[in-house]
């Protein structure tokens, strides 16, 4: 145990995800040794991020204003929406530069164990966005694990009566990998999702 | 296949032990509580990544140590492989194959295949249905390691679905609201369940003649050993996974209101039973102690035959079983296991081991193993 505020700093840091007691102590002493200007800047950014950043009114992505950069961008295709679990998934997909439509961030996946049901996700907001008929295709890009799959199935069933084109991201072999190193589940999925080779 | 060398660090009572082994019979002899079973438990762990005695890994690590390490050199058809497992209770275990780390420990499952006979086996006949389901599922994994994943997937879906049912049962609220998600879990449970169920049905069919033969050799004067797979819902006579999935889904739909009331999943492979019979009577409750033992041995011997037909002799391990058997059963069991490539036996006194199984011997006292010529 350290005295007073040092221990409090360690305790607070220890609450962050991925930071154990040892790391918390290391970060705390780094802060103690650091230039006061640097520490002020960090403190300022921490406060600012809580004050200024909000979630996009339309898609639920993190945004600096009421609507996020992507939803405001007129060059993005308004007919396609890609549904993801978290904001960090948006960043991952943006990096591919493959997708030119817009996003919808659910804020998680259905998981009864953690008490997360459809009502806890931004599904109602998604339905509102689809109401005016401008969107024609929905890409379900939830994680390829049980909870992500269940969420995708749930959405697909919910959306079926609307007559939209609903697609699911393919799962299968990693590009640049070797077939022999793929596990059976992935390889099995890749077989299921095989496609015709156009030549 | 056989284990050519076993070495343990901080496993159970052993700080450090090296045990060179050979094909043929090896008996580990010593007083109870001195660490015979710990040695074969370690070999079993290399094969199944679990202990036959405890459900969690924590008791496997020597008191005061942070981790246990099990190394086994395995010889299969003249190829030698070194499998190393680092057991870290509460954290992920790590595995190395021929000194190179593998991404996941289950990548080395299947390197060693064992069939273990232990006093606990009696529970397969006398105990709860869960014991017989575990026998089937463990054997599926031993035959094809990918079933470890199938089993884990099913358990995960089941947990999610039970959590949903429980919350719906508890709050009574939004039953209508929970229903659409329940439909989703139904379809995922049916698909994962059909995979497991289909494999079990095929396994039961393969075991049936083998168990009957082994049992009649062990207990010639007793009734015939037969069994049926009793599913928690009505099944068509097929192992087609699509058809089974549809049957499970229909079964779930039929019990839904009951499930919502009780808050648990009532249909699926986790509720099924392998009903053992001796002639016309159920083995559980009707079989004598000796008959129950013969039945348990017959199940294990059938598993051994099946694994052997797949990919050559698995290692046979007999943990303290001879002490439980009368002379006649001892001799018959010895006849069955003697031809195996490697047989490892533990016994408190050397006289318990039938003469037919004479071979190498280690004396185990206070967690040290001494070779006895």
């Amino acid at each position: 145990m350290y005295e007073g505020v040092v221990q409090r700093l360690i305790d607070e840091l220890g609450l962050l995800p991925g930071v154990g007691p040892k790391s918390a102590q290391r970060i705390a002493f780094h802060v103690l040794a650091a230039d006061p200007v640097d520490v002020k800047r960090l403190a300022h950014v921490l406060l600012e991020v809580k004050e200024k950043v909000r979630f996009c009114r339309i898609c639920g992505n993190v945004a600096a204003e009421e609507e996020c950069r992507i939803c405001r961008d007129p060059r993005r295709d308004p007919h396609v929406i890609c549904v993801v679990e978290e904001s960090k998934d948006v960043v991952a997909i943006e990096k591919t530069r493959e997708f030119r439509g817009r996003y919808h961030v659910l804020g998680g996946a259905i998981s009864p164990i953690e008490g997360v049901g459809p009502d806890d996700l931004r599904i109602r907001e998604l339905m509102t966005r689809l109401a005016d008929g401008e969107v024609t295709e929905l890409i379900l890009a939830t994680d390829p694990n049980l909870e992500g799959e269940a969420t995708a199935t749930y959405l697909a069933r919910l959306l079926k009566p609307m007559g939209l084109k609903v697609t699911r991201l393919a799962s299968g072999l990693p590009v640049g990998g070797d077939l022999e190193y793929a596990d059976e589940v992935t390889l099995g999925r890749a077989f299921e999702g095989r496609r015709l080779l156009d030549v | 296949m056989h284990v050519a060398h076993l070495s343990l660090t901080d496993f159970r009572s052993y700080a450090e032990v090296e045990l060179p082994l050979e094909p043929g019979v090896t008996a580990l002899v010593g007083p109870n509580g001195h660490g015979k079973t710990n040695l074969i438990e370690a070999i079993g762990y290399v094969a199944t990544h679990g202990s036959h005695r405890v459900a969690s890994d924590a008791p496997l690590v020597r008191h005061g140590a942070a981790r246990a390490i099990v190394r086994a050199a395995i010889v299969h058809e003249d190829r030698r492989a070194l499998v190393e497992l680092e057991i870290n209770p509460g954290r992920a275990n790590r595995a190395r194959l021929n000194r190179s780390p593998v991404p996941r420990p289950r990548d080395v499952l299947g390197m060693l295949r064992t069939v273990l006979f232990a006093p606990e086996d009696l529970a397969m006949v006398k105990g709860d249905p869960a014991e017989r389901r575990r026998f089937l599922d463990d054997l599926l994994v031993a035959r094809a390691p990918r079933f470890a994943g199938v089993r884990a997937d099913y358990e995960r879906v089941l947990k999610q679905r039970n959590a949903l049912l429980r919350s719906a049962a508890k709050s009574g609220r939004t039953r209508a609201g929970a229903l659409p998600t329940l439909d989703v879990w139904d379809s995922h449970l049916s698909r994962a369940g059909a995979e497991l169920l289909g494999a079990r049905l095929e396994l039961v069919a393969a075991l049936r003649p083998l168990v009957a033969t082994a049992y009649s050799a062990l207990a010639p004067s007793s009734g015939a050993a037969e069994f049926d797979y009793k599913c928690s819902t009505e099944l068509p006579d097929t192992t087609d996974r699509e058809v089974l999935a549809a049957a499970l889904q229909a079964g779930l739909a039929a019990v839904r209101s009951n499930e919502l009331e009780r808050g648990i999943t009532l249909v699926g492979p986790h509720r099924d039973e392998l009903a053992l019979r001796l002639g016309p009577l159920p083995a559980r409750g009707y079989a004598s102690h000796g008959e129950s033992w013969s039945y348990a041995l017959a199940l294990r011997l059938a598993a051994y035959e099946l694994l052997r037909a797949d990919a050559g002799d698995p290692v046979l391990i007999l943990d303290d079983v001879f002490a439980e058997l009368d002379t006649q059963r001892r001799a018959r069991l010895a006849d069955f296991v003697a031809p195996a490539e490697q047989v490892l036996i533990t016994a408190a006194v050397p006289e318990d081991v039938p003469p037919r199984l004479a071979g190498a011997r280690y004396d185990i006292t206070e967690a040290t193993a001494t070779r006895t010529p």
Side-chain angles (χ1 to χ4, degrees):
Chain A
M1 281 295 266
Y2 295 93
E3 279 178 43
V5 69
V6 179
Q7 187 59 42
R8 264 167 50 212
L9 176 60
I10 294 174
D11 291 346
E12 288 296 331
L13 290 168
L15 296 175
L16 298 173
V19 180
K22 283 266 160 65
S23 304
Q25 185 176 313
R26 225 175 79 216
I27 299 169
F29 279 94
H30 173 82
V31 169
L32 278 181
D35 193 324
V37 180
D38 291 338
V39 177
K40 269 205 185 102
R41 204 174 50 238
L42 174 65
H44 186 71
V45 172
L46 283 176
L47 291 173
E48 198 180 359
V49 82
K50 265 328 259 185
E51 275 164 21
K52 292 208 179 140
V53 172
R54 41 186 131 179
F55 296 95
C56 173
R57 186 173 61 84
I58 300 170
C59 73
N61 193 7
V62 287
E65 294 168 45
E66 197 153 296
E67 292 172 12
C68 74
R69 193 174 43 76
I70 297 170
C71 286
R72 275 184 289 131
D73 189 343
R75 290 166 302 174
R76 308 288 298 215
D77 184 350
H79 305 297
V80 190
I81 290 182
C82 178
V83 181
V84 297
E85 290 181 21
E86 308 282 357
S87 291
K88 51 181 195 283
D89 302 329
V90 173
V91 177
I93 296 174
E94 280 299 283
K95 276 191 196 146
T96 68
R97 295 171 185 274
E98 281 291 321
F99 179 64
R100 297 301 302 159
R102 297 204 164 115
Y103 292 94
H104 193 83
V105 180
L106 292 172
I110 295 175
S111 175
I113 293 175
E114 289 153 86
V116 180
D119 299 346
D120 305 303
L121 304 174
R122 299 183 69 260
I123 291 175
R124 202 172 306 116
E125 288 86 340
L126 176 64
M127 301 310 276
T128 316
R129 283 179 81 180
L130 299 177
D132 64 4
E134 198 185 9
V135 177
T136 53
E137 182 181 353
L138 212 63
I139 303 169
L140 300 177
T142 49
D143 289 343
N145 53 26
L146 172 64
E147 291 75 16
E149 295 290 353
T151 310
T153 315
Y154 176 79
L155 286 173
R157 289 184 180 194
L158 196 66
L159 297 164
K160 204 168 184 184
M162 304 182 80
L164 291 172
K165 181 178 171 193
V166 179
T167 53
R168 175 91 177 104
L169 280 196
S171 47
L173 300 170
V175 175
D178 282 341
L179 198 69
E180 56 172 313
Y181 290 119
D183 66 287
E184 300 89 344
V185 179
T186 306
L187 203 50
R189 285 287 195 78
F191 262 96
E192 269 173 31
R194 70 188 183 276
R195 60 188 165 78
L196 212 59
L197 203 54
D198 252 343
V199 282
Chain B
M1 71 173 48
H2 68 271
V3 179
H5 194 96
L6 176 73
S7 95
L8 304 179
T9 306
D10 292 328
F11 186 90
R12 289 272 192 188
S13 53
Y14 292 94
E16 201 76 53
V17 72
E18 301 289 334
L19 195 70
L21 293 164
E22 291 145 33
V25 179
T26 301
L28 308 171
V29 181
N32 290 326
H34 281 239
K36 305 182 298 284
T37 299
N38 296 347
L39 292 173
I40 54 142
E41 183 181 34
I43 292 176
Y45 196 93
V46 174
T48 63
H49 294 189
S51 155
H52 70 288
R53 295 198 288 180
V54 286
S56 83
D57 282 350
L60 303 181
V61 177
R62 193 168 70 96
H63 187 71
R67 68 181 70 82
I69 297 170
V70 181
R71 289 186 195 85
I74 299 151
V75 178
H76 184 39
E77 289 169 355
D78 299 328
R79 283 188 310 143
R80 198 180 164 99
L82 181 68
V83 173
E84 290 176 82
L85 288 172
E86 186 183 300
I87 304 170
N88 300 306
R91 287 182 301 129
N93 289 351
R94 281 196 290 211
R96 301 205 299 166
L97 177 60
N98 294 329
R99 308 199 186 281
S100 316
V102 295
R104 290 156 308 183
R106 72 172 152 102
D107 293 337
V108 298
L109 267 178
M111 294 302 300
L112 174 65
R113 293 173 309 130
T114 58
V115 175
L116 187 135
F117 296 70
E120 289 85 354
D121 286 350
L122 205 52
M124 289 196 300
V125 183
K126 294 188 163 186
D128 295 334
E131 304 280 350
R132 289 175 287 283
R133 289 193 294 266
R134 187 175 332 128
F135 166 72
L136 292 176
D137 292 349
D138 285 348
L139 186 52
L140 283 177
V141 176
R143 293 185 76 189
R146 84 176 180 90
F147 278 102
V150 172
R151 198 175 174 180
D153 285 350
Y154 181 74
E155 272 156 26
R156 178 91 187 146
V157 191
L158 183 63
K159 243 169 109 179
Q160 286 284 17
R161 194 173 181 277
N162 279 340
L164 180 64
L165 287 170
R166 233 183 351 265
S167 70
K170 202 160 55 188
S171 61
R173 58 119 196 166
T174 59
R175 274 205 186 164
L179 290 184
T181 17
L182 197 52
D183 286 342
V184 171
W185 292 113
D186 280 9
S187 76
H188 282 265
L189 189 87
S190 309
R191 230 178 309 145
E195 187 70 26
L196 188 59
L197 181 58
R200 279 193 196 164
L201 290 171
E202 284 160 3
L203 180 63
V204 166
L207 282 171
R208 198 167 273 132
L210 299 173
V211 173
T213 311
Y215 186 84
S216 65
L218 286 164
S221 53
S222 170
E226 290 162 352
F227 44 79
D228 295 303
Y229 189 84
K230 291 222 154 60
C231 185
S232 44
T233 190
E234 210 157 310
L235 290 184
D237 186 20
T238 176
T239 57
D240 184 279
R241 308 298 193 261
E242 304 258 327
V243 180
L244 289 177
L248 284 175
Q249 188 134 14
L252 286 168
V255 296
R256 177 171 280 190
S257 60
N258 197 358
E259 286 191 324
L260 281 168
E261 216 148 276
R262 295 179 52 187
I264 48 165
T265 300
L266 296 172
V267 165
H270 68 291
R271 305 274 295 188
D272 295 354
E273 160 74 307
L274 181 70
L276 307 179
R277 278 180 288 119
L278 272 180
L281 296 173
R284 197 180 173 199
Y286 285 89
S288 71
H289 190 70
E291 284 171 334
S292 298
W293 255 115
S294 297
Y295 214 133
L297 293 174
L299 288 170
R300 288 285 179 220
L301 287 169
Y304 166 68
E305 289 292 340
L306 216 52
L307 287 169
R308 198 163 70 133
D310 287 343
D313 265 15
V315 174
L316 271 175
I317 303 175
L318 288 84
D319 181 20
D320 240 345
V321 285
F322 288 112
E324 308 270 345
L325 305 176
D326 55 35
T327 328
Q328 202 182 17
R329 286 192 176 85
R330 275 186 202 185
R332 295 218 166 96
L333 179 61
D335 290 342
F336 262 108
V337 304
E341 182 174 336
Q342 187 173 43
V343 186
L344 305 173
I345 301 168
T346 70
V349 286
E351 294 73 41
D352 278 349
V353 181
R356 173 97 206 257
L357 296 177
R361 180 174 150 191
Y362 278 96
D363 282 328
I364 313 288
T365 39
E366 286 166 13
T368 51
T370 325
R371 174 97 190 212
T372 316

